C-alpha cells in the first residue's frame, strides 16, 4: 500500500504521484474492458479487466495474492476513502470492530496466509498502520514518529512500513521479531518502501528532490540497487513476487503515468486500453498485476491484468 497518489500518508498520494486507499462492498463481477496485444520484451501480452467497488466514484487496488483475492480502497460520491477486500467474486468493506470509523482507511494484501495490512486515520488526523492476521487486529505505530503506515507483510511476518512527521518526508522501516531497522536509500531525501518479498527484499521508491523518483530494491543483506525504467522521467517500484518479477509505474517526459513489469532487467509497459494513466501497484506469483487507471474523464478505476 502506498500513499504516493491519494491523500493521506502511506496509503495515499502524498505528492500527487502515488496513493493507496482501501474499502469494500458486495457483489460486483469484473467487466472486460479490452484484450490488448502489446509489444516490447518477451514478458508476454495481457488481458485487462476493470474491477470497481459497486457505485464507487473511486476504486484503487493495492494488493493481490495467488488465490486472486485483492485489497484496496474505495470512495462513494467523492467522499472519504475506505478499506476493502475482494474475495470469491464479492467486495467486502474492511472496518474491524469499528476501528477505522468514518475516517480514511486503505488496505494492502492479502498475502497468501490471508494477512491484510494498511493505514487509517483517527479523529485527530493522525495516521496509524494496521495488520490483520488470523482475525486479530493490530495497530502499528513506529515509536517517536507522528504518522505510520504498513505497506507490506510477507509470509514470515516481516513488515515493511513508513513513517513521517510534520514535514511530510517519508522514511522506511523494516520490523522483524519486534525489532525496527531503518530503511533509507543512501543519499536520498525520502525513502518509501512499498512492498516486501518472501526472500526479504524490500522494494519502493526514493528521491533526492520531490519531482524525480527512482525505484529501489533492498535485498536481505542490506544492499540497495536502483530500478529505473529506461527513458522515464521517474519510476516507482511497487511490488516483487517470488520469481523475481517487479512491478510498478513510471511517468514519461509529458507527465503521463504507465504501469510496468520487470524481469531480469527487461521492462514491459502496461497501459489499460483507452486510459489517460495507468498505475500498477501489485503482482502475484502468476504474474497477474492489479492497480488503478484514470479514464478520459479522470475517474479512477481498479483493474487487474492477466498475462497470456
Amino acid at each position: 500500500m502506498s500513499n504516493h497518489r491519494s491523500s493521506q500518508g502511506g496509503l495515499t498520494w502524498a505528492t500527487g504521484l502515488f496513493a493507496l486507499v482501501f474499502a469494500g462492498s458486495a457483489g460486483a463481477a469484473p467487466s472486460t474492458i479490452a484484450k490488448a496485444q502489446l509489444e516490447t520484451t518477451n514478458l508476454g501480452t495481457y488481458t485487462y479487466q476493470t474491477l470497481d467497488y459497486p457505485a464507487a466514484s473511486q476504486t484503487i487496488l493495492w494488493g493481490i495474492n495467488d488465490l486472486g483475492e485483492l485489497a484496496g480502497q474505495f470512495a462513494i460520491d467523492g467522499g472519504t476513502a475506505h478499506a476493502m477486500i475482494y474475495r470469491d467474486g464479492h467486495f467486502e468493506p474492511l472496518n474491524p470492530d469499528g476501528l477505522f470509523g468514518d475516517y480514511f482507511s486503505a488496505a494492502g494484501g492479502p498475502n497468501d496466509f490471508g494477512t491484510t495490512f494498511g493505514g487509517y486515520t483517527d479523529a485527530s488526523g493522525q495516521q496509524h498502520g494496521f495488520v490483520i492476521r488470523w482475525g486479530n487486529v493490530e495497530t502499528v505505530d513506529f515509536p517517536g514518529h507522528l504518522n505510520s503506515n504498513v505497506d507490506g507483510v510477507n509470509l514470515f511476518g516481516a513488515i515493511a512500513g513508513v513513517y513521517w512527521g510534520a514535514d511530510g518526508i517519508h522514511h522506511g522501516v523494516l520490523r522483524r521479531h519486534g525489532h525496527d531497522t531503518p530503511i533509507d536509500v543512501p543519499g536520498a531525501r525520502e525513502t518509501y518502501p512499498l512492498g516486501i518479498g518472501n526472500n526479504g527484499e524490500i522494494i519502493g521508491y526514493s528521491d533526492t528532490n520531490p519531482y524525480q523518483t527512482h525505484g529501489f530494491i533492498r535485498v536481505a543483506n542490506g544492499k540497495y540497487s536502483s530500478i529505473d525504467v529506461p527513458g522515464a522521467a521517474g519510476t516507482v517500484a511497487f511490488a516483487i513476487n517470488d520469481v523475481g518479477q517487479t512491478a510498478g509505474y513510471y511517468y514519461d517526459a509529458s507527465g503521463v503515468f504507465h504501469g510496468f513489469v520487470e524481469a531480469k532487467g527487461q521492462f514491459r509497459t502496461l497501459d489499460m486500453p483507452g486510459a489517460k494513466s495507468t498505475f500498477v501497484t501489485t503482482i502475484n506469483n502468476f504474474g497477474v498485476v492489479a492497480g488503478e487507471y484514470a479514464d478520459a474523464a479522470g475517474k479512477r478505476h481498479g483493474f487487474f491484468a492477466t498475462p497470456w
Side-chain angles (χ1 to χ4, degrees):
M1 278 172 19
S2 142
N3 91 332
H4 225 169
R5 276 200 335 96
S6 248
S7 58
Q8 316 288 71
L11 292 180
T12 16
W13 283 63
T15 63
L17 293 178
F18 330 121
L20 214 263
V21 192
F22 314 151
S25 165
S31 60
T32 300
I33 293 296
K35 179 182 286 187
Q37 190 159 335
L38 304 176
E39 58 287 312
T40 73
T41 81
N42 60 358
L43 290 173
T45 56
Y46 288 78
T47 299
Y48 294 80
Q49 291 184 301
T50 292
L51 186 60
D52 280 336
Y53 191 92
S57 58
Q58 174 203 94
T59 302
I60 303 174
L61 301 174
W62 297 110
I64 186 171
N65 66 15
D66 291 343
L67 302 176
E69 299 169 330
L70 301 108
Q73 73 190 48
F74 73 95
I76 303 295
D77 294 331
T80 302
H82 297 286
M84 54 84 169
I85 58 174
Y86 180 84
R87 59 164 63 101
D88 299 325
H90 299 278
F91 283 98
E92 301 171 19
L94 189 62
N95 188 19
D97 302 321
L99 175 66
F100 304 156
D102 295 326
Y103 307 108
F104 164 85
S105 60
N111 68 20
D112 286 349
F113 285 166
T115 300
T116 54
F117 48 85
Y120 69 96
T121 57
D122 61 23
S124 70
Q126 184 175 349
Q127 185 157 319
H128 310 271
F130 72 85
V131 175
I132 304 174
R133 42 189 154 201
W134 314 119
N136 298 312
V137 182
E138 173 191 0
T139 291
V140 177
D141 288 314
F142 299 111
H145 304 292
L146 184 63
N147 299 289
S148 301
N149 196 79
V150 174
D151 285 289
V153 179
N154 70 14
L155 296 182
F156 301 100
I159 291 173
V162 66
Y163 68 84
W164 66 101
D167 62 2
I169 303 298
H170 300 92
H171 300 277
V173 180
L174 168 63
R175 177 170 288 183
R176 288 183 299 186
H177 312 301
H179 177 70
D180 289 349
T181 300
I183 303 297
D184 283 305
V185 173
R189 178 192 72 105
E190 181 173 56
T191 299
Y192 202 124
L194 290 165
I196 184 168
N198 292 321
N199 295 317
E201 316 97 320
I202 292 176
I203 196 163
Y205 78 90
S206 67
D207 63 50
T208 54
N209 69 72
Y211 305 107
Q212 185 173 32
T213 60
H214 302 275
F216 77 85
I217 182 169
R218 177 191 184 272
V219 294
N221 66 6
K223 182 179 179 181
Y224 291 88
S225 300
S226 62
I227 300 174
D228 286 312
V229 175
T235 300
V236 176
F238 229 101
I240 186 168
N241 63 18
D242 291 345
V243 296
Q245 293 176 315
T246 64
Y249 48 89
Y250 68 94
Y251 48 101
D252 61 27
S254 300
V256 177
F257 289 88
H258 310 269
F260 76 84
V261 172
E262 177 271 337
K264 297 181 179 179
Q266 293 191 339
F267 290 83
R268 168 80 161 75
T269 292
L270 279 74
D271 285 317
M272 167 63 78
K276 286 175 57 178
S277 56
T278 301
F279 304 88
V280 171
T281 62
T282 184
I283 186 169
N284 70 13
N285 289 325
F286 299 105
V288 180
V289 302
E292 66 156 309
Y293 71 92
D295 64 21
K299 183 177 179 180
R300 294 159 71 176
H301 304 268
F303 84 95
F304 64 94
T306 306
W308 57 280

PDB file of all heavy atoms in Angstrom, residues 70-92:
ATOM      1  N   LEU A  70      -8.022  -9.698  -3.551  1.00  0.00           N
ATOM      2  CA  LEU A  70      -7.442  -8.371  -3.666  1.00  0.00           C
ATOM      3  C   LEU A  70      -7.843  -7.505  -2.470  1.00  0.00           C
ATOM      4  O   LEU A  70      -8.807  -7.810  -1.758  1.00  0.00           O
ATOM      5  CB  LEU A  70      -7.897  -7.681  -4.954  1.00  0.00           C
ATOM      6  CG  LEU A  70      -7.564  -8.378  -6.271  1.00  0.00           C
ATOM      7  CD1 LEU A  70      -8.837  -8.954  -6.890  1.00  0.00           C
ATOM      8  CD2 LEU A  70      -6.912  -7.418  -7.252  1.00  0.00           C
ATOM      9  N   ALA A  71      -7.103  -6.429  -2.287  1.00  0.00           N
ATOM     10  CA  ALA A  71      -7.461  -5.439  -1.277  1.00  0.00           C
ATOM     11  C   ALA A  71      -7.164  -4.059  -1.832  1.00  0.00           C
ATOM     12  O   ALA A  71      -6.390  -3.908  -2.776  1.00  0.00           O
ATOM     13  CB  ALA A  71      -6.689  -5.670   0.020  1.00  0.00           C
ATOM     14  N   GLY A  72      -7.794  -3.057  -1.242  1.00  0.00           N
ATOM     15  CA  GLY A  72      -7.592  -1.697  -1.719  1.00  0.00           C
ATOM     16  C   GLY A  72      -8.452  -0.713  -0.980  1.00  0.00           C
ATOM     17  O   GLY A  72      -8.678  -0.839   0.219  1.00  0.00           O
ATOM     18  N   GLN A  73      -8.963   0.259  -1.736  1.00  0.00           N
ATOM     19  CA  GLN A  73      -9.791   1.305  -1.145  1.00  0.00           C
ATOM     20  C   GLN A  73     -10.842   1.738  -2.145  1.00  0.00           C
ATOM     21  O   GLN A  73     -10.682   1.578  -3.348  1.00  0.00           O
ATOM     22  CB  GLN A  73      -8.949   2.510  -0.738  1.00  0.00           C
ATOM     23  CG  GLN A  73      -8.467   3.332  -1.921  1.00  0.00           C
ATOM     24  CD  GLN A  73      -7.448   4.379  -1.542  1.00  0.00           C
ATOM     25  OE1 GLN A  73      -6.503   4.084  -0.843  1.00  0.00           O
ATOM     26  NE2 GLN A  73      -7.652   5.614  -1.996  1.00  0.00           N
ATOM     27  N   PHE A  74     -11.930   2.337  -1.613  1.00  0.00           N
ATOM     28  CA  PHE A  74     -12.971   2.883  -2.485  1.00  0.00           C
ATOM     29  C   PHE A  74     -13.528   4.139  -1.844  1.00  0.00           C
ATOM     30  O   PHE A  74     -13.359   4.384  -0.635  1.00  0.00           O
ATOM     31  CB  PHE A  74     -14.094   1.864  -2.708  1.00  0.00           C
ATOM     32  CG  PHE A  74     -14.979   1.674  -1.518  1.00  0.00           C
ATOM     33  CD1 PHE A  74     -16.165   2.376  -1.397  1.00  0.00           C
ATOM     34  CD2 PHE A  74     -14.617   0.813  -0.488  1.00  0.00           C
ATOM     35  CE1 PHE A  74     -16.981   2.217  -0.290  1.00  0.00           C
ATOM     36  CE2 PHE A  74     -15.428   0.645   0.614  1.00  0.00           C
ATOM     37  CZ  PHE A  74     -16.612   1.348   0.722  1.00  0.00           C
ATOM     38  N   ALA A  75     -14.196   4.929  -2.628  1.00  0.00           N
ATOM     39  CA  ALA A  75     -14.896   6.116  -2.133  1.00  0.00           C
ATOM     40  C   ALA A  75     -16.206   6.241  -2.886  1.00  0.00           C
ATOM     41  O   ALA A  75     -16.306   5.855  -4.056  1.00  0.00           O
ATOM     42  CB  ALA A  75     -14.048   7.374  -2.319  1.00  0.00           C
ATOM     43  N   ILE A  76     -17.214   6.756  -2.216  1.00  0.00           N
ATOM     44  CA  ILE A  76     -18.540   6.966  -2.791  1.00  0.00           C
ATOM     45  C   ILE A  76     -18.784   8.475  -2.937  1.00  0.00           C
ATOM     46  O   ILE A  76     -18.565   9.241  -1.983  1.00  0.00           O
ATOM     47  CB  ILE A  76     -19.641   6.349  -1.907  1.00  0.00           C
ATOM     48  CG1 ILE A  76     -19.380   4.849  -1.693  1.00  0.00           C
ATOM     49  CG2 ILE A  76     -21.015   6.571  -2.534  1.00  0.00           C
ATOM     50  CD1 ILE A  76     -19.466   4.001  -2.939  1.00  0.00           C
ATOM     51  N   ASP A  77     -19.200   8.892  -4.128  1.00  0.00           N
ATOM     52  CA  ASP A  77     -19.528  10.305  -4.388  1.00  0.00           C
ATOM     53  C   ASP A  77     -18.392  11.246  -4.001  1.00  0.00           C
ATOM     54  O   ASP A  77     -18.624  12.349  -3.487  1.00  0.00           O
ATOM     55  CB  ASP A  77     -20.807  10.705  -3.638  1.00  0.00           C
ATOM     56  CG  ASP A  77     -22.035   9.969  -4.149  1.00  0.00           C
ATOM     57  OD1 ASP A  77     -22.045   9.612  -5.351  1.00  0.00           O
ATOM     58  OD2 ASP A  77     -22.957   9.741  -3.356  1.00  0.00           O
ATOM     59  N   GLY A  78     -17.162  10.803  -4.239  1.00  0.00           N
ATOM     60  CA  GLY A  78     -16.018  11.647  -3.964  1.00  0.00           C
ATOM     61  C   GLY A  78     -15.708  11.834  -2.493  1.00  0.00           C
ATOM     62  O   GLY A  78     -14.910  12.711  -2.133  1.00  0.00           O
ATOM     63  N   GLY A  79     -16.311  11.004  -1.632  1.00  0.00           N
ATOM     64  CA  GLY A  79     -16.110  11.142  -0.198  1.00  0.00           C
ATOM     65  C   GLY A  79     -14.838  10.473   0.292  1.00  0.00           C
ATOM     66  O   GLY A  79     -13.929  10.166  -0.475  1.00  0.00           O
ATOM     67  N   THR A  80     -14.785  10.245   1.601  1.00  0.00           N
ATOM     68  CA  THR A  80     -13.619   9.649   2.243  1.00  0.00           C
ATOM     69  C   THR A  80     -13.382   8.232   1.744  1.00  0.00           C
ATOM     70  O   THR A  80     -14.326   7.451   1.591  1.00  0.00           O
ATOM     71  CB  THR A  80     -13.810   9.626   3.774  1.00  0.00           C
ATOM     72  OG1 THR A  80     -14.014  10.965   4.227  1.00  0.00           O
ATOM     73  CG2 THR A  80     -12.595   9.036   4.469  1.00  0.00           C
ATOM     74  N   ALA A  81     -12.130   7.897   1.503  1.00  0.00           N
ATOM     75  CA  ALA A  81     -11.784   6.556   1.047  1.00  0.00           C
ATOM     76  C   ALA A  81     -11.790   5.582   2.220  1.00  0.00           C
ATOM     77  O   ALA A  81     -11.406   5.928   3.340  1.00  0.00           O
ATOM     78  CB  ALA A  81     -10.412   6.557   0.385  1.00  0.00           C
ATOM     79  N   HIS A  82     -12.250   4.356   1.939  1.00  0.00           N
ATOM     80  CA  HIS A  82     -12.338   3.318   2.969  1.00  0.00           C
ATOM     81  C   HIS A  82     -11.711   2.025   2.460  1.00  0.00           C
ATOM     82  O   HIS A  82     -11.748   1.722   1.265  1.00  0.00           O
ATOM     83  CB  HIS A  82     -13.794   3.061   3.353  1.00  0.00           C
ATOM     84  CG  HIS A  82     -14.471   4.246   3.971  1.00  0.00           C
ATOM     85  ND1 HIS A  82     -14.212   4.666   5.247  1.00  0.00           N
ATOM     86  CD2 HIS A  82     -15.385   5.102   3.471  1.00  0.00           C
ATOM     87  CE1 HIS A  82     -14.945   5.732   5.525  1.00  0.00           C
ATOM     88  NE2 HIS A  82     -15.659   6.024   4.450  1.00  0.00           N
ATOM     89  N   ALA A  83     -11.192   1.261   3.378  1.00  0.00           N
ATOM     90  CA  ALA A  83     -10.544  -0.008   3.053  1.00  0.00           C
ATOM     91  C   ALA A  83     -11.563  -1.061   2.627  1.00  0.00           C
ATOM     92  O   ALA A  83     -12.708  -1.065   3.084  1.00  0.00           O
ATOM     93  CB  ALA A  83      -9.753  -0.513   4.256  1.00  0.00           C
ATOM     94  N   MET A  84     -11.110  -1.958   1.761  1.00  0.00           N
ATOM     95  CA  MET A  84     -11.968  -3.061   1.317  1.00  0.00           C
ATOM     96  C   MET A  84     -11.114  -4.233   0.882  1.00  0.00           C
ATOM     97  O   MET A  84      -9.912  -4.108   0.648  1.00  0.00           O
ATOM     98  CB  MET A  84     -12.886  -2.618   0.183  1.00  0.00           C
ATOM     99  CG  MET A  84     -12.206  -1.990  -0.993  1.00  0.00           C
ATOM    100  SD  MET A  84     -11.558  -3.166  -2.203  1.00  0.00           S
ATOM    101  CE  MET A  84     -11.144  -2.079  -3.564  1.00  0.00           C
ATOM    102  N   ILE A  85     -11.765  -5.391   0.784  1.00  0.00           N
ATOM    103  CA  ILE A  85     -11.157  -6.572   0.200  1.00  0.00           C
ATOM    104  C   ILE A  85     -12.121  -7.137  -0.839  1.00  0.00           C
ATOM    105  O   ILE A  85     -13.314  -6.823  -0.844  1.00  0.00           O
ATOM    106  CB  ILE A  85     -10.804  -7.645   1.251  1.00  0.00           C
ATOM    107  CG1 ILE A  85     -12.055  -8.069   2.039  1.00  0.00           C
ATOM    108  CG2 ILE A  85      -9.721  -7.140   2.184  1.00  0.00           C
ATOM    109  CD1 ILE A  85     -11.777  -9.228   2.983  1.00  0.00           C
ATOM    110  N   TYR A  86     -11.576  -7.981  -1.727  1.00  0.00           N
ATOM    111  CA  TYR A  86     -12.363  -8.624  -2.781  1.00  0.00           C
ATOM    112  C   TYR A  86     -11.999 -10.094  -2.769  1.00  0.00           C
ATOM    113  O   TYR A  86     -10.837 -10.469  -2.963  1.00  0.00           O
ATOM    114  CB  TYR A  86     -12.030  -7.999  -4.137  1.00  0.00           C
ATOM    115  CG  TYR A  86     -12.784  -8.599  -5.302  1.00  0.00           C
ATOM    116  CD1 TYR A  86     -14.064  -8.161  -5.625  1.00  0.00           C
ATOM    117  CD2 TYR A  86     -12.207  -9.609  -6.077  1.00  0.00           C
ATOM    118  CE1 TYR A  86     -14.750  -8.708  -6.708  1.00  0.00           C
ATOM    119  CE2 TYR A  86     -12.889 -10.150  -7.144  1.00  0.00           C
ATOM    120  CZ  TYR A  86     -14.163  -9.703  -7.466  1.00  0.00           C
ATOM    121  OH  TYR A  86     -14.841 -10.250  -8.526  1.00  0.00           O
ATOM    122  N   ARG A  87     -12.989 -10.941  -2.491  1.00  0.00           N
ATOM    123  CA  ARG A  87     -12.753 -12.386  -2.485  1.00  0.00           C
ATOM    124  C   ARG A  87     -14.020 -13.108  -2.918  1.00  0.00           C
ATOM    125  O   ARG A  87     -15.131 -12.611  -2.710  1.00  0.00           O
ATOM    126  CB  ARG A  87     -12.308 -12.884  -1.107  1.00  0.00           C
ATOM    127  CG  ARG A  87     -13.275 -12.624   0.026  1.00  0.00           C
ATOM    128  CD  ARG A  87     -12.951 -13.488   1.255  1.00  0.00           C
ATOM    129  NE  ARG A  87     -11.662 -13.197   1.806  1.00  0.00           N
ATOM    130  CZ  ARG A  87     -11.459 -12.434   2.897  1.00  0.00           C
ATOM    131  NH1 ARG A  87     -12.505 -11.869   3.503  1.00  0.00           N
ATOM    132  NH2 ARG A  87     -10.254 -12.240   3.366  1.00  0.00           N
ATOM    133  N   ASP A  88     -13.840 -14.263  -3.557  1.00  0.00           N
ATOM    134  CA  ASP A  88     -14.967 -15.082  -4.003  1.00  0.00           C
ATOM    135  C   ASP A  88     -15.953 -14.284  -4.853  1.00  0.00           C
ATOM    136  O   ASP A  88     -17.171 -14.502  -4.792  1.00  0.00           O
ATOM    137  CB  ASP A  88     -15.701 -15.694  -2.804  1.00  0.00           C
ATOM    138  CG  ASP A  88     -14.809 -16.597  -1.967  1.00  0.00           C
ATOM    139  OD1 ASP A  88     -13.945 -17.272  -2.563  1.00  0.00           O
ATOM    140  OD2 ASP A  88     -14.960 -16.624  -0.728  1.00  0.00           O
ATOM    141  N   GLY A  89     -15.422 -13.346  -5.637  1.00  0.00           N
ATOM    142  CA  GLY A  89     -16.274 -12.594  -6.551  1.00  0.00           C
ATOM    143  C   GLY A  89     -17.057 -11.472  -5.922  1.00  0.00           C
ATOM    144  O   GLY A  89     -17.947 -10.910  -6.568  1.00  0.00           O
ATOM    145  N   HIS A  90     -16.748 -11.117  -4.673  1.00  0.00           N
ATOM    146  CA  HIS A  90     -17.507 -10.079  -3.981  1.00  0.00           C
ATOM    147  C   HIS A  90     -16.571  -9.124  -3.242  1.00  0.00           C
ATOM    148  O   HIS A  90     -15.543  -9.530  -2.711  1.00  0.00           O
ATOM    149  CB  HIS A  90     -18.491 -10.696  -2.979  1.00  0.00           C
ATOM    150  CG  HIS A  90     -19.516 -11.581  -3.599  1.00  0.00           C
ATOM    151  ND1 HIS A  90     -20.658 -11.103  -4.189  1.00  0.00           N
ATOM    152  CD2 HIS A  90     -19.558 -12.932  -3.732  1.00  0.00           C
ATOM    153  CE1 HIS A  90     -21.368 -12.103  -4.664  1.00  0.00           C
ATOM    154  NE2 HIS A  90     -20.727 -13.232  -4.394  1.00  0.00           N
ATOM    155  N   PHE A  91     -16.985  -7.856  -3.184  1.00  0.00           N
ATOM    156  CA  PHE A  91     -16.311  -6.879  -2.351  1.00  0.00           C
ATOM    157  C   PHE A  91     -16.854  -6.954  -0.925  1.00  0.00           C
ATOM    158  O   PHE A  91     -18.041  -7.223  -0.710  1.00  0.00           O
ATOM    159  CB  PHE A  91     -16.544  -5.459  -2.877  1.00  0.00           C
ATOM    160  CG  PHE A  91     -15.725  -5.111  -4.081  1.00  0.00           C
ATOM    161  CD1 PHE A  91     -16.267  -5.188  -5.360  1.00  0.00           C
ATOM    162  CD2 PHE A  91     -14.418  -4.682  -3.941  1.00  0.00           C
ATOM    163  CE1 PHE A  91     -15.520  -4.854  -6.477  1.00  0.00           C
ATOM    164  CE2 PHE A  91     -13.653  -4.344  -5.046  1.00  0.00           C
ATOM    165  CZ  PHE A  91     -14.209  -4.436  -6.317  1.00  0.00           C
ATOM    166  N   GLU A  92     -15.977  -6.679   0.028  1.00  0.00           N
ATOM    167  CA  GLU A  92     -16.381  -6.600   1.432  1.00  0.00           C
ATOM    168  C   GLU A  92     -15.703  -5.378   2.054  1.00  0.00           C
ATOM    169  O   GLU A  92     -14.483  -5.227   1.957  1.00  0.00           O
ATOM    170  CB  GLU A  92     -15.934  -7.845   2.208  1.00  0.00           C
ATOM    171  CG  GLU A  92     -16.489  -9.146   1.674  1.00  0.00           C
ATOM    172  CD  GLU A  92     -15.850 -10.349   2.343  1.00  0.00           C
ATOM    173  OE1 GLU A  92     -15.266 -10.183   3.440  1.00  0.00           O
ATOM    174  OE2 GLU A  92     -15.921 -11.445   1.777  1.00  0.00           O
TER     175      GLU A  92
END
